[in-house]
Amino acid sequence: MAELHQLTATQLLDGYRVKSFSPNEVAIALVEHVGAWEPHINALYAYQADTFISAAEDSTQRWAKGQPSGALDGVPVTLKELIATKGMPVPGGTGLGEQPISSQDAPSATRLDEDNALLLGKTTCPDFGMLSSGLSSFHGLTRNPWDLACNTGGSSSGAGAAAAAGFGPLHVGTDIGGSIRLPAAWCGVVGFKPSLGRVPIDPYYVGRCAGPMTRSVEDAALMMSTLARTDRRDAMRLPPEDIDWQNLTLDIKGLRIGVMMEAGCGLPLDDEIRHHVEQAAKQLEAAGATLVPLAPVLTRDMLDGLDRFWQARQWNELLKLSPEERERVLPAILAWADGGARLSGVEVVQGFQQTMVMRRVTEAVFEQVDAVISPTTPNIAFPAEWPSPTNDPRQPFEHIVYNVPWNMGEQPAISLNAGFSSSDMPIGVQLVGPRFADHFVLQLARQLEKRLALPLRWPSLPRDGAGI
């Protein structure tokens, strides 16, 4: 029988409804579980067990009276530390510069509070959210629960680790170039990047999204019912739309699924990942879909142009710090971003223009196919202490090549676990749909998840002190 921390959000709500257990019992069990795991993986920031249990007691009283309030009443959740919560600073992975106390919750935090989800804590991220790594100058090192010697990826590093280790069923990450899907793949969980503006976010930016990180597609869909409610603080938000997010039925027969095995540039694809993604595609074909081989959408010029634009953007952020503070930023960030100081205005604009090129080529894909299946990452794992899979600050984005085009193109994309490598590390598969077809992508992911039918696996609790 599953332990309380292993239950999905849907299972928790069903249990509360029939009084099999209470939110208070779940919270107490979860605090004990976190106490055993957190010293090994360092996934949480601003974790307040007493506040969490107190909120669970209030929820328990509502359920006991048969008066739950909100669709997630009593369900534990975490928020990436970049998502502001009232009364707390936003360290940005560094804790440097001005750290004003947030005067209000950001949109995702507001929506979850409205539905009475129980905030367990915030989750870690690397410096400025600009590394796909669990390495942070402020939070320290976040490790992968499947192997403490391996990296979580990022920048939603703590969320990926927390979801994999069973720190409750629901987690919110952010994604501007793969920051939800990459840690989801490396940590063996589900990570959904919605269409730009589907989940309101503040601050908003080109390609920046917030979305669910969970252990099932069903839970991701459940979260979308809450997170996708509109909020005028996001000037790039989509118009409100009545979507039955939890209806995940879909007839795959007749769908044209593009198979994009090559990224076009970046790190070479690991053979084991290729095998698992090909097997996942065959599952869709067996359900009646037609597989269509696709050429990559990304080019070296696109990736390098975006790199230059992001260097300039990051250098602008570093200029807000004093020279002494800049010295405390991760060396990998400094070594990469200082190139932005030497770029001309024309070079920066030319770099930004590559985001428009990505928008054009990604949108054109869906003239041929209904959805795309691809690897989520080119590599299986990399050392926990590295800032990226290349460990080269001059080549920090060679691993985001399957992800970033869909941020710039604004299409919804989801990563789910396709299986495990010979070294017992998770392998992710990515599904992408046309802009605004978020519900369709979740439905397709649920059908693939059912057909893969992977047995439930959990990482093993390390021995005391192991890997630290």
Side-chain angles (χ1 to χ4, degrees), residues 194-417:
S195 298
L196 185 73
R198 178 68 72 195
V199 172
I201 194 169
D202 182 28
Y204 48 86
Y205 199 75
V206 175
R208 186 169 188 253
C209 301
M213 297 179 72
T214 63
R215 295 193 301 275
S216 70
V217 175
E218 187 177 45
D219 272 2
L222 176 65
M223 283 193 88
M224 287 299 293
S225 300
T226 296
L227 296 177
R229 294 201 295 269
T230 194
D231 193 306
R232 285 193 175 275
R233 287 175 287 176
D234 185 350
M236 300 172 77
R237 73 195 181 283
L238 297 179
E241 189 174 349
D242 186 15
I243 297 172
D244 182 6
W245 290 103
Q246 291 172 263
N247 175 10
L248 295 175
T249 59
L250 179 70
D251 185 0
I252 294 176
K253 188 175 182 180
L255 292 180
R256 291 174 60 81
I257 307 293
V259 182
M260 191 176 290
M261 296 303 300
E262 302 302 330
C265 55
L267 292 174
L269 181 61
D270 182 276
D271 287 341
E272 285 191 88
I273 296 177
R274 183 185 301 276
H275 170 76
H276 278 78
V277 174
E278 287 175 346
Q279 292 303 306
K282 288 178 181 177
Q283 290 290 344
L284 297 177
E285 185 178 40
T290 299
L291 301 183
V292 180
L294 289 179
V297 291
L298 194 66
T299 66
R300 189 80 250 173
D301 285 345
M302 292 179 201
L303 188 62
D304 288 348
L306 183 64
D307 187 355
R308 288 191 291 273
F309 170 63
W310 278 351
Q311 283 180 40
R313 177 174 175 260
Q314 186 59 56
W315 184 248
N316 180 61
E317 293 300 311
L318 291 172
L319 288 177
K320 298 175 184 178
L321 303 178
S322 68
E324 293 76 20
E325 286 177 319
R326 279 201 296 274
E327 288 301 313
R328 292 161 55 191
V329 174
L330 286 175
I333 292 284
L334 295 174
W336 164 68
D338 69 357
R342 297 186 292 274
L343 293 170
S344 69
V346 171
E347 287 173 314
V348 175
V349 171
Q350 289 173 338
F352 178 77
Q353 285 300 111
Q354 292 299 324
T355 69
M356 299 296 108
V357 178
M358 288 187 218
R359 179 188 292 264
R360 181 181 295 276
V361 296
T362 54
E363 188 66 14
V365 166
F366 296 100
E367 293 178 356
Q368 308 172 59
V369 297
D370 300 297
V372 174
I373 187 170
S374 79
T376 308
T377 66
N379 62 304
I380 290 174
F382 63 104
E385 296 79 9
W386 286 12
S388 75
T390 63
N391 198 30
D392 180 353
R394 297 299 179 187
Q395 288 191 309
F397 302 130
E398 301 302 295
H399 59 290
I400 71 171
V401 287
Y402 289 102
N403 318 115
V404 71
W406 314 112
N407 288 81
M408 301 305 119
E410 303 183 7
Q411 293 87 4
I414 191 168
S415 178
L416 61 153
N417 191 33

Side-chain angles (χ1 to χ4, degrees), residues 20 44 64 82 141 154 162 180 191 198 255 259 264 298 369 379 382 423-424 441 443:
S20 296
L44 297 179
L82 295 180
L141 181 58
I180 286 174
R198 178 68 72 195
L255 292 180
V259 182
L298 194 66
V369 297
N379 62 304
F382 63 104
S423 58
D424 281 333
V441 168
Q443 289 174 316

Side-chain angles (χ1 to χ4, degrees), residues 4 7-17 21 26 74-76 169:
L4 290 178
L7 298 180
T8 68
T10 304
Q11 290 169 331
L12 288 178
L13 292 168
D14 288 343
Y16 298 159
R17 202 168 289 117
F21 44 78
V26 170
V75 179

